[in-house]
Amino acid sequence: MNVLYATLGFLGIYAYVSFASLLWGGIDRKLVARMQRRMGPPLLQPFYDFLKLVGKESIIPRDANRFFELAPVLALATSIALLAYTPLGFEPIFGTKGDVILFIYLLTLIGFLRVVGAVSSGSPYAQIGAQREMIILVSREGPMMLALFTILWRLSDLGVTKPFSMGTFYEHNVWELGTPMSIIGAVVLLLVFLAWLASEIEVGYFDIPEAETELAEGTMAEYSGRHLALFELANAIKAFVSASLVVAIFFPWGISGYIGLTGLPAVVIDLLFHTLKVFAVLFVSMSLFRAVTGRLRINQAVSLFWTRMLPAAIVGALLLAIDTLGVVA
Amino acid sequence: MNGKLEYWVKIPIGPIHPALEEPEKFIITLDGERIINVDVKLGYNLRGLEWIAMRRNYIQILYLAERICGICSFSHNHTYSRAVEEMAGIEVPERAEYIRVIIGELERIHSHLLNLGVVGHTIGYDTTLHLSWLARERVMDILEAIGGNRVNYSINTIGGVRRDLEEKHIRAILDMIENYRNEVMPKIEEIFLYDPTVEARLRDAGVIPKRIAIEYSAQGPTARGSGVKKDVRYNERLSVYPDLGVKPITPKEFTGVVKGDVFDRMVVRVGELWQSMELIERAIDQMPEGKIKAVPKDNTLLFQLKKAEGEGIGRYEAPRGELIHYVMAQKGKDVPAKWKMREPTFPNLFAIARALVGEQVADVPVAIASIDPCLSCTDRVAVVDANTGRKKVLTERDLLRLSIEKTRELNPNVRAKPEVVGVGCPRGGVL
């Protein structure tokens, strides 16, 4: 019985997140268009795009190998699996000890599958896009993991039931630590996370692997039809999930407790409120960032991560850790 | 394979590529992200204009010249007129020269705003594209009010201009300049001179050193961005430009350094926007009353040109650089024996291809966009490379036959006979 409920809930979450993430695509395009003094496409444009792509023939290059067709399917499957461990305003369905590590692996796997698909296509544009994707993948994960694990370590120090899990964030949050040092550290880490998020969804400075005007969509250059539709959906879900991580760490508060709801209505209200927060985070990290910046060169982006973000993450981590370590008595 | 493996990747940028507005091919050999060779392939966009021109009279060529390129439509038209005027010895009234200056500078403003937006777009900074193209709408509206069209305003004719500037036009132009000074230019300067993203991407990208610029005879903002003081309006003391105090703009006056990179070319364009506005204001101030055409009627003009003999060269500083038109007359015919033009894109293209070697692949689109290539101006020779590597020249007749075949394939209901007639120009004995 329990398994049945879990499965149904999981399917419900999948349907909801697909809808919400595609809807965000429309909202984002509309908002950016307004910032650029344009009208922008209709709000439901991503849905139209998705449906149109699903109905279209998929062209497979002559030189492509099996992974070309397999990669989009695996990417979508990975992003669905990811939903089981994503905090969405309530504890993840299959949450357990140490699921943070699984979460990060699955998130990276989507990027890795894009690379596999691009390399399999045999197109030189896609190969250069894949090179760039790998380089930036390696650079962005370091600062993020350092920040994430510091926060989790610090929180599990307060005594949580499942250490190093996504559920940790619903028992305590970084702002609860209370000391001025930890608050400054948390703000620094928030900036690191926003930059990581922008890089994860490839906007603004970090639109490097897909650089439309340089590489003609880079990693996605050879994809069309159904395969492209699967990748688009996987990417949209990935954006939502990555933003959910930031929301869970820094803005984990629900509202169901305040209006005294319990059971299913509480879950629905929390989910909707969480979606709102995700949209707010994505607005800062995606829409605003996309409207006010251009694309960097790959070496500039990499040096941004290694010489700015990594030191920032280290400083933030030290500030968080400083009162536990007892450096300042 | 010559017995050894090559690790280089060859990327074709073009003929169809999102960074290029027109078909042109750059074959780029890469070692990782570093470019080790750039190969430029021209000739995807031949339209046989010079051939068509030899079957049209001097006045009909004006409209053909205008359609060489949509952005510098006035420049081509103007340069061609200067060539014919020099050939036939026609004196242009002073008021017409002033009107030409005003239209030419308005066109420079719209061309530079367009290019600034395109460069912003190629580095993924689409907001700049939308803002500068929004600003550009205003100039185009003014050009429409004066000439009747947004793009091909056809205001120029041999020996003058076809329309006079009225009081309302002058007021609209001054209003526009006021608006640009106060609202548009501060934004443009903030974006292209002080924005960190733009500076990070454009600085040290596509560097053309001064020596290379001179050797490859780079033109226009490309040359001036490298510190070469080269401007036809200034060097040749063209028409009334000396009275207006025109000077070649180099980035030195704005940023204090000349590196010859994409950023410097953008700085030159921003400077020229300021300069153009000043020139228009001065031209409006100094513009005398009087005739606007040397020869009022077109058939009188044609008759006069029919008697003309010899050759003429017209030069003009188009927004992209120096434009040269050459016209050779045949005595007793109202059709030129030869019409030939040289566009700034042609030398600039090879200068930029040379400059790209050693840089990153990310710089290719922005460097190409920074010379503001007008490839439809540049293409001359039609060599169609078949799959086998054989070369074949397609004549007009072949193209027409192919297009008719294609139409029938797409729509079998078309019943007309595929006959090679009615292309819009009188047919000589060539075909």
Side-chain angles (χ1 to χ4, degrees):
Chain A
M1 209 55 192
N2 209 358
V3 175
L4 181 69
Y5 276 130
T7 315
L8 281 180
F10 184 50
L11 285 177
I13 285 174
Y14 169 51
Y16 175 75
V17 171
S18 308
F19 174 79
S21 55
L22 284 179
L23 180 68
W24 168 254
I27 297 173
D28 167 64
R29 287 175 71 176
K30 197 83 185 169
L31 285 173
V32 173
R34 296 310 299 162
M35 282 185 247
Q36 294 171 342
R37 309 282 184 277
R38 290 187 288 130
M39 285 308 293
L43 209 56
L44 296 181
Q45 190 63 46
F47 294 93
Y48 302 149
D49 287 350
F50 180 75
L51 292 176
K52 187 195 80 176
L53 284 175
V54 167
K56 288 194 97 163
E57 174 195 14
S58 190
I59 297 163
I60 294 160
R62 195 171 47 198
D63 299 337
N65 63 29
R66 273 287 139 212
F67 276 108
F68 182 78
E69 289 170 77
L70 216 52
V73 182
L74 288 177
L76 186 63
T78 312
S79 68
I80 295 170
L82 199 52
L83 288 176
Y85 303 98
T86 310
L88 294 165
F90 41 83
E91 279 210 31
I93 305 178
F94 296 138
T96 176
K97 287 191 277 200
D99 60 5
V100 167
I101 295 157
L102 182 63
F103 181 88
I104 293 175
Y105 261 101
L106 288 176
L107 207 53
T108 317
L109 191 60
I110 298 177
F112 179 70
L113 284 166
R114 282 158 59 94
V115 171
V116 169
V119 171
S120 317
S121 76
S123 152
Y125 292 122
Q127 279 171 9
I128 292 185
Q131 284 173 17
R132 292 175 169 196
E133 175 113 23
M134 283 314 278
I135 294 167
I136 201 144
L137 195 78
V138 170
S139 326
R140 74 165 170 242
E141 295 301 323
M144 185 277 271
M145 284 195 203
L146 177 63
L148 183 61
F149 287 129
T150 313
I151 292 170
L152 283 165
W153 167 76
R154 189 71 183 80
L155 289 182
S156 57
D157 221 37
L158 298 173
V160 290
T161 48
K162 289 184 239 166
F164 284 87
S165 78
M166 286 296 175
T168 312
F169 300 119
Y170 292 98
E171 293 175 39
H172 298 287
N173 65 57
V174 258
W175 313 104
E176 247 173 54
L177 298 172
T179 55
M181 285 289 193
S182 69
I183 287 178
I184 299 168
V187 171
V188 172
L189 291 187
L190 176 60
L191 295 177
V192 172
F193 267 97
L194 287 179
W196 166 79
L197 181 59
S199 157
E200 188 75 46
I201 53 194
E202 288 168 8
V203 290
Y205 276 170
F206 308 110
D207 177 30
I208 300 169
E210 275 194 23
E212 185 210 337
T213 48
E214 289 161 21
L215 297 179
E217 296 294 332
T219 44
M220 295 289 108
E222 295 296 332
Y223 278 103
S224 55
R226 287 183 294 280
H227 295 100
L228 183 60
L230 292 181
F231 257 134
E232 294 278 318
L233 185 60
N235 281 343
I237 293 178
K238 184 174 127 184
F240 193 93
V241 166
S242 324
S244 291
L245 177 67
V246 179
V247 168
I249 299 169
F250 293 98
F251 317 102
W253 311 287
I255 51 165
S256 62
Y258 294 103
I259 39 180
L261 287 174
T262 49
L264 194 63
V267 169
V268 171
I269 287 290
D270 272 343
L271 185 59
L272 289 178
F273 187 59
H274 175 83
T275 311
L276 202 67
K277 288 186 286 185
V278 164
F279 284 3
V281 167
L282 281 175
F283 173 72
V284 175
S285 217
M286 190 169 174
S287 309
L288 268 185
F289 196 60
R290 188 147 75 89
V292 300
T293 54
R295 184 188 308 122
L296 289 182
R297 270 177 234 151
I298 182 75
N299 55 347
Q300 288 167 339
V302 169
S303 82
L304 182 78
F305 273 112
W306 288 110
T307 64
R308 300 280 192 285
M309 290 303 149
L310 189 63
I314 291 172
V315 167
L318 284 178
L319 285 173
L320 268 185
I322 219 156
D323 42 319
T324 312
L325 296 174
V327 182
V328 184
Chain B
M1 280 300 220
N2 299 340
K4 64 171 183 182
L5 269 174
E6 286 187 0
Y7 293 98
W8 301 331
V9 182
K10 276 193 178 170
I11 291 194
I13 304 271
I16 308 295
H17 189 272
L20 298 171
E21 276 76 28
E22 291 164 294
E24 211 69 41
K25 196 170 182 181
F26 299 86
I27 299 172
I28 289 172
T29 314
L30 286 178
D31 183 10
E33 287 260 337
R34 202 171 60 87
I35 298 166
I36 52 177
N37 191 25
V38 181
D39 200 356
V40 185
K41 300 267 184 210
L42 294 167
Y44 288 90
N45 208 8
L46 174 90
R47 294 172 297 163
L49 285 176
E50 286 168 356
W51 186 87
I52 296 172
M54 278 185 269
R55 276 137 197 87
R56 297 193 167 193
N57 70 32
Y58 290 103
I59 296 203
Q60 286 169 332
I61 293 176
L62 274 173
Y63 303 95
L64 198 62
E66 201 164 55
R67 279 155 184 79
I68 291 172
C69 166
I71 308 298
C72 14
S73 66
F74 172 81
S75 305
H76 278 283
N77 199 334
H78 182 190
T79 320
Y80 167 74
S81 303
R82 300 197 84 82
V84 176
E85 282 151 17
E86 191 189 293
M87 178 195 80
I90 296 171
E91 278 282 317
V92 183
E94 209 181 348
R95 186 175 171 85
E97 289 282 21
Y98 274 101
I99 293 175
R100 281 179 178 183
V101 167
I102 291 167
I103 305 287
E105 296 307 311
L106 283 174
E107 187 182 73
R108 194 181 311 278
I109 290 176
H110 108 73
S111 175
H112 281 351
L113 281 175
L114 177 126
N115 183 248
L116 290 172
V118 168
V119 167
H121 171 68
T122 50
I123 57 166
Y125 199 166
D126 279 347
T127 311
T128 61
L129 168 83
H130 294 298
L131 288 179
S132 65
W133 282 35
L134 182 71
R136 177 173 165 258
E137 285 299 306
R138 186 122 190 213
V139 195
M140 299 193 71
D141 286 348
I142 300 258
L143 285 168
E144 188 185 7
I146 297 170
N149 280 321
R150 274 161 61 88
V151 178
N152 294 324
Y153 358 100
S154 66
I155 197 159
N156 210 62
T157 188
I158 296 162
V161 288
R162 291 173 60 231
R163 288 188 181 80
D164 203 354
L165 274 189
E166 288 164 26
E167 193 53 43
K168 61 176 183 188
H169 297 145
I170 289 174
R171 219 174 319 118
I173 293 173
L174 291 177
D175 267 3
M176 181 206 82
I177 291 177
E178 181 80 23
N179 171 272
Y180 272 31
R181 282 233 168 93
N182 298 332
E183 286 172 31
V184 175
M185 289 308 290
K187 280 184 201 162
I188 295 271
E189 282 205 330
E190 199 184 323
I191 291 170
F192 286 97
L193 301 184
Y194 306 112
D195 191 285
T197 315
V198 169
E199 179 144 13
R201 274 309 300 278
L202 303 189
R203 260 287 174 229
D204 299 321
V207 182
I208 303 179
K210 190 169 179 179
R211 187 178 60 82
I212 301 279
I214 294 171
E215 269 178 20
Y216 281 67
S217 178
Q219 303 289 345
T222 312
R224 292 195 284 275
S226 303
V228 185
K229 292 207 169 184
K230 192 173 187 178
D231 190 324
V232 178
R233 296 171 294 170
Y234 173 77
N235 297 354
E236 297 297 315
R237 309 190 61 71
L238 195 79
S239 84
V240 292
Y241 275 109
D243 302 341
L244 301 171
V246 65
K247 277 226 165 64
I249 301 250
T250 53
K252 200 158 200 161
E253 295 134 41
F254 284 81
T255 54
V257 283
V258 181
K259 290 193 173 178
D261 48 15
V262 179
F263 189 80
D264 277 353
R265 269 163 249 153
M266 292 304 111
V267 170
V268 168
R269 290 209 165 87
V270 172
E272 288 191 3
L273 283 174
W274 284 114
Q275 193 196 33
S276 287
M277 286 193 272
E278 247 172 59
L279 288 178
I280 293 172
E281 277 188 338
R282 277 188 218 146
I284 285 175
D285 257 11
Q286 299 176 14
M287 190 162 67
E289 292 295 321
K291 287 204 299 179
I292 55 164
K293 261 188 190 178
V295 188
K297 285 205 168 167
D298 280 357
N299 44 6
T300 338
L301 178 67
L302 267 184
F303 186 67
Q304 198 179 334
L305 289 171
K306 213 169 175 177
K307 291 187 294 183
E309 209 177 358
E311 47 194 6
I313 290 177
R315 295 175 76 184
Y316 176 64
E317 183 80 11
R320 299 177 160 113
E322 183 188 11
L323 206 56
I324 301 175
H325 277 236
Y326 167 80
V327 175
M328 194 160 105
Q330 294 167 287
K331 194 166 185 186
K333 280 193 180 172
D334 55 0
V335 176
K338 182 95 188 137
W339 174 43
K340 173 88 190 135
M341 56 265 187
R342 210 288 312 269
E343 282 76 19
T345 304
F346 192 72
N348 285 351
L349 210 51
F350 293 98
I352 200 74
R354 168 83 164 68
L356 275 174
V357 175
E359 308 218 349
Q360 285 191 21
V361 67
D363 294 335
V364 175
V366 69
I368 292 173
S370 76
I371 63 164
D372 201 358
C374 180
L375 305 169
S376 61
C377 300
T378 304
D379 276 358
R380 288 295 173 278
V381 189
V383 180
V384 177
D385 217 343
N387 239 355
T388 53
R390 263 190 307 160
K391 287 179 181 173
K392 189 188 169 194
V393 179
L394 287 186
T395 59
E396 189 193 9
R397 180 178 286 236
D398 290 336
L399 289 172
L400 199 64
R401 185 175 49 75
L402 284 173
S403 68
I404 288 170
E405 276 171 13
K406 187 73 186 173
T407 312
R408 304 194 125 207
E409 193 188 311
L410 292 174
N411 186 359
N413 296 330
V414 178
R415 286 259 171 259
K417 266 190 181 175
E419 275 181 11
V420 186
V421 283
V423 187
C425 59
R427 206 144 301 277
V430 178
L431 283 180

